[in-house]
Amino acid sequence: MQDKVIEMSDGLTVPFALAAGLSGAVSTSGIIVTAGVAEIIAESIAMGLGGYLFGTAEVNHYNSERKREYFEVDEFPEKEKQEVKDVFKDYGLSEHLREEIANELSKDKDKWVEFMIRFELDLTKPNPNRPRKSALTIASSYIIGGVISMAPYFFIEDSETGLKYSAVFTLIALFVFGIFKSKVTGIPILTGAFKVTLIGAAVAIAAYFIAKWMAE
Amino acid sequence: MQDKVIEMSDGLTVPFALAAGLSGAVSTSGIIVTAGVAEIIAESIAMGLGGYLFGTAEVNHYNSERKREYFEVDEFPEKEKQEVKDVFKDYGLSEHLREEIANELSKDKDKWVEFMIRFELDLTKPNPNRPRKSALTIASSYIIGGVISMAPYFFIEDSETGLKYSAVFTLIALFVFGIFKSKVTGIPILTGAFKVTLIGAAVAIAAYFIAKWMAE
């Protein structure tokens, strides 16, 4: 859910701003559509694959750390017990209680390893299906966002007119997605929605004027 | 470090592919430079601000959860003690040991709250300076990556020739950053570097042919 919402607002903001920038530099929509489509393809593949690789690396990292903990618990049980005790030292538990926790925990090897992974290494078990799902979600959300902001240029030949419609579509969509994004990330909803919308507008305005200035 | 490396390779991949796509559709570099600069501005601001907002939301979330835990520890100490005991139930500790842990922990309110935040809520204390630093890192890394891949188009008028130089620069840079990226994310180094480079190449090839086909 988080991936989806964040990528969709990125997909709205960046192609929108790119198209706005080009509208400041060229008068017809043809090249803007080409650039927009190229950008959407590039970004959705790059981000989708990036998310996939990062996700699989995380799964592999978790599995190898887990294997290492099993090895250490087998080979150096006293060292691992000491590590359990160290975790609780920070929370001010008494020496004898820490000793007892380490002893009880060491009776069940699976639970012991699970404990070390979570509390010593601070890792949570990643879902092995997540990387692929997350890649598809990121890519498709970016594409949806991009299509919304680029749609007017497909139908309107004059780039400045296309920009006006694109701005209306995009800012409404950004506001709506800003509401969801705020819910997901835990920011106050209206503040968050306005922020997301304002960022989109600011980015597009910056791109428009810089591109116009460069084209002169 | 992670932000820096990942954004730099994104900044290399996406403007490179966008420029490659446009090279398939237009013959001179002028419009490609404009589009590339607009994209780099849009993406670096959008990602930088996105990272900043996400980071500050995380800091706020942590602070409000912390406040809530202090409140609960004051108002419902028995319920919170039960929650401490529940944490250790999953790890198979005996009833009397869990009781003792909860009792010892409840003697120091600060440690108790710290414990609940980490072990019940699974939150780690975010660095309050991180959002700003992270935003600047993300934005500047994206800009550096973008400038490397766009540089040839600034100097070479013919877009197909620009593309050849851009491909050489970008693929070398992607390989070098792929090495760092692999180190940071824990993938085997050469495999990771080749993957990053191949993704960049594949994305650019896809953008090039689709844009060429659209322009016909």
Side-chain angles (χ1 to χ4, degrees):
Chain A
M1 185 59 192
Q2 186 152 338
D3 288 347
K4 207 181 291 183
V5 171
I6 289 173
E7 292 318 319
M8 207 171 313
S9 79
D10 256 14
L12 282 161
T13 301
V14 178
F16 169 51
L18 171 64
L22 287 171
S23 300
V26 299
S27 60
T28 55
S29 296
I31 193 72
I32 297 176
V33 169
T34 306
V37 171
E39 207 281 338
I40 293 168
I41 293 163
E43 188 75 44
S44 60
I45 301 178
M47 287 191 140
L49 278 181
Y52 179 76
L53 287 182
F54 186 78
T56 45
E58 206 178 30
V59 171
N60 292 340
H61 179 65
Y62 180 87
N63 289 338
S64 78
E65 289 294 310
R66 191 160 172 276
K67 207 176 276 171
R68 202 167 58 84
E69 283 298 334
Y70 268 105
F71 172 79
E72 290 185 355
V73 155
D74 278 332
E75 299 295 318
F76 314 106
E78 287 312 315
K79 188 176 152 283
E80 292 300 296
K81 274 191 193 174
Q82 185 56 49
E83 287 179 3
V84 172
K85 287 162 69 181
D86 289 346
V87 168
F88 292 108
K89 200 171 186 176
D90 299 341
Y91 298 97
L93 295 191
S94 63
E95 174 65 33
H96 99 94
L97 190 53
R98 278 151 51 206
E99 186 82 43
E100 225 177 315
I101 295 171
N103 284 336
E104 271 205 22
L105 209 53
S106 66
K107 283 178 201 151
D108 183 336
K109 207 189 283 175
D110 295 328
K111 303 267 186 204
W112 192 6
V113 167
E114 215 182 291
F115 179 90
M116 297 307 286
I117 290 173
R118 184 159 166 219
F119 296 115
E120 189 208 353
L121 304 176
D122 254 328
L123 294 175
T124 41
K125 193 178 169 61
N127 178 345
N129 295 322
R130 203 175 168 276
R132 209 175 18 151
K133 250 185 80 181
S134 158
L136 291 176
T137 308
I138 289 176
S140 59
S141 306
Y142 196 88
I143 292 171
I144 293 170
V147 167
I148 293 174
S149 64
M150 292 301 303
Y153 296 98
F154 283 92
F155 304 107
I156 298 166
E157 185 56 29
D158 175 55
S159 65
E160 296 266 344
T161 314
L163 174 56
K164 279 172 202 151
Y165 284 95
S166 170
V168 173
F169 282 17
T170 306
L171 295 178
I172 291 173
L174 275 173
F175 192 81
V176 173
F177 291 120
I179 292 173
F180 287 103
K181 191 172 177 171
S182 309
K183 275 197 183 170
V184 172
T185 48
I187 337 174
I189 290 176
L190 273 186
T191 324
F194 273 114
K195 268 187 192 168
V196 169
T197 314
L198 282 177
I199 292 174
V203 173
I205 290 168
Y208 179 85
F209 283 106
I210 292 172
K212 209 179 174 88
W213 168 76
M214 282 182 63
E216 267 163 15
Chain B
M1 185 61 193
Q2 187 151 338
D3 288 347
K4 207 182 290 183
V5 171
I6 289 173
E7 291 318 318
M8 207 170 315
S9 78
D10 255 15
L12 282 162
T13 301
V14 178
F16 168 52
L18 171 66
L22 286 172
S23 301
V26 299
S27 60
T28 53
S29 297
I31 193 71
I32 297 176
V33 169
T34 305
V37 170
E39 208 280 339
I40 294 168
I41 293 164
E43 189 75 43
S44 60
I45 301 178
M47 288 192 137
L49 278 181
Y52 179 76
L53 287 181
F54 186 78
T56 45
E58 206 177 29
V59 171
N60 291 341
H61 179 64
Y62 180 87
N63 289 337
S64 78
E65 287 295 310
R66 192 160 172 274
K67 206 176 276 172
R68 202 168 58 84
E69 282 299 334
Y70 268 106
F71 172 80
E72 290 184 356
V73 155
D74 278 333
E75 299 294 318
F76 314 107
E78 288 312 315
K79 187 175 154 283
E80 291 300 296
K81 274 190 191 174
Q82 186 56 48
E83 287 178 5
V84 172
K85 287 161 70 181
D86 290 345
V87 168
F88 292 106
K89 200 171 187 176
D90 298 340
Y91 297 97
L93 296 192
S94 63
E95 175 66 33
H96 100 93
L97 191 53
R98 278 149 53 206
E99 185 82 42
E100 224 178 314
I101 295 171
N103 284 337
E104 269 204 24
L105 210 53
S106 65
K107 283 179 201 151
D108 183 335
K109 206 188 286 175
D110 294 328
K111 303 269 185 202
W112 192 7
V113 167
E114 216 181 292
F115 178 91
M116 297 307 286
I117 290 174
R118 181 157 169 222
F119 292 80
E120 189 209 353
L121 305 177
D122 253 328
L123 293 176
T124 40
K125 193 178 167 63
N127 178 343
N129 295 321
R130 203 176 167 276
R132 208 174 21 149
K133 250 185 82 180
S134 160
L136 291 176
T137 308
I138 289 173
S140 58
S141 305
Y142 196 89
I143 292 170
I144 292 170
V147 167
I148 292 173
S149 65
M150 292 302 302
Y153 296 98
F154 283 94
F155 303 107
I156 299 166
E157 185 56 28
D158 175 56
S159 63
E160 296 266 346
T161 314
L163 174 56
K164 280 172 201 151
Y165 284 94
S166 169
V168 173
F169 281 17
T170 305
L171 296 178
I172 292 173
L174 275 174
F175 192 81
V176 174
F177 290 120
I179 292 172
F180 287 104
K181 192 171 175 170
S182 308
K183 276 198 182 170
V184 171
T185 48
I187 336 176
I189 289 176
L190 273 187
T191 324
F194 273 113
K195 269 189 193 166
V196 168
T197 313
L198 282 178
I199 292 174
V203 172
I205 290 168
Y208 178 84
F209 283 105
I210 292 173
K212 209 179 176 85
W213 168 76
M214 282 183 63
E216 267 163 14

